[in-house]
């Protein structure tokens, strides 16, 4: 029984980009660290409704194991919500986390918690994340989607989702210094 499962998900990492990455890093004979991982999975992430998926459908496919439509996160046919890896782990009492070098409301990380037929509705996606009790660690960008316009954010509803998350026990760090002072 595994102690932990860690999924490294990289947008657009296809087999066709490996040779240029090898050449860039060390030449044609160079091998990338990821090529020595003990386990590797290749998946087809085409959407239900198109042969080429958008980021939302591709990440939904990876996060849920089910094919979704382009323009949908964690839902089938626009309405039927489907569980994802984080949902399943939280249901089993596992600690979960989501780390992204993009905004946490971007389609790729959002597919692991959001349920919406509009992957560009960042305000709803941010609200769903803030109201999700099943994610223990979050690291990523996109603070503007969580803050009202009066605090420099983009939320028109006046809600300060970061403060709401603080009230639920999250440690919120918006700067490197705040992150370094966050208790482990």
């Amino acid at each position: 029984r595994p102690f932990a499962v860690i999924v490294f998900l990289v947008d657009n990492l296809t087999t066709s980009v490996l040779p240029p990455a090898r050449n860039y890093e060390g030449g044609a004979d160079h091998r990338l660290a990821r090529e020595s991982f003990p386990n590797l999975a290749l998946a087809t992430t085409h959407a239900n409704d198109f042969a080429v998926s958008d980021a939302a459908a591709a990440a939904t496919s990876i996060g849920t194991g089910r094919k979704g439509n382009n323009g949908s996160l964690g839902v089938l046919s626009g309405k039927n919500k489907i569980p994802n890896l984080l949902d399943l782990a939280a249901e089993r009492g596992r600690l979960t986390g989501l780390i992204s070098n993009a905004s946490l409301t971007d389609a790729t990380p959002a597919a692991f918690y959001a349920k919406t037929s509009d992957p560009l509705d960042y305000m709803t996606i941010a609200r769903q994340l803030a109201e999700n009790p099943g994610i223990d660690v979050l690291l990523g960008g996109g603070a503007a989607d969580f803050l009202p316009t009066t605090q420099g954010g983009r939320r028109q509803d006046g809600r300060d989702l970061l403060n709401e998350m603080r009230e639920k026990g999250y440690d919120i760090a918006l700067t490197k210094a705040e992150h370094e002072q966050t208790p482990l």
Side-chain angles (χ1 to χ4, degrees), residues 28-116:
D29 292 327
H30 179 74
R31 291 294 167 253
L32 302 168
R34 69 185 51 85
E35 293 178 286
S36 66
F37 286 179
N39 298 296
L40 172 70
L42 298 175
T44 58
T45 58
H46 62 277
N48 277 333
D49 56 349
F50 288 98
V52 178
S53 63
D54 66 4
T60 294
S61 176
I62 294 167
T64 67
R66 305 274 306 271
K67 301 285 185 207
N69 291 339
N70 278 353
S72 294
L73 290 168
V75 294
L76 297 175
S77 303
K79 301 217 185 275
N80 299 325
K81 298 176 181 179
I82 49 179
N84 59 52
L85 292 171
L86 295 182
D87 294 333
L88 297 173
E91 285 173 10
R92 288 163 178 75
R94 300 290 189 162
L95 295 175
T96 62
L98 183 62
I99 300 170
S100 177
N101 66 344
S103 169
L104 290 170
T105 57
D106 183 68
T108 300
F112 289 85
Y113 65 86
K115 315 282 192 223
T116 180

Side-chain angles (χ1 to χ4, degrees), residues 153-171:
R154 298 192 300 191
R155 297 198 69 78
Q156 299 293 320
D157 60 8
R159 288 179 70 180
D160 180 345
L161 298 179
L162 293 181
N163 192 50
E164 291 178 25
M165 293 172 79
R166 277 187 190 97
E167 290 174 357
K168 291 179 182 178
Y170 278 94
D171 292 312

Side-chain angles (χ1 to χ4, degrees), residues 4 12 22 25 43 57 84 91 94 96 99 113 118 132 135 139 157 175 182:
N12 298 314
R22 283 186 208 111
E25 190 171 283
N84 59 52
E91 285 173 10
R94 300 290 189 162
T96 62
I99 300 170
Y113 65 86
D118 184 358
N132 188 327
I135 304 176
L139 295 172
D157 60 8
T175 66
T182 301

Side-chain angles (χ1 to χ4, degrees), residues 126-137:
R127 181 188 51 76
Q128 288 182 10
L129 179 58
E131 294 173 354
N132 188 327
I135 304 176
D136 301 292
V137 175

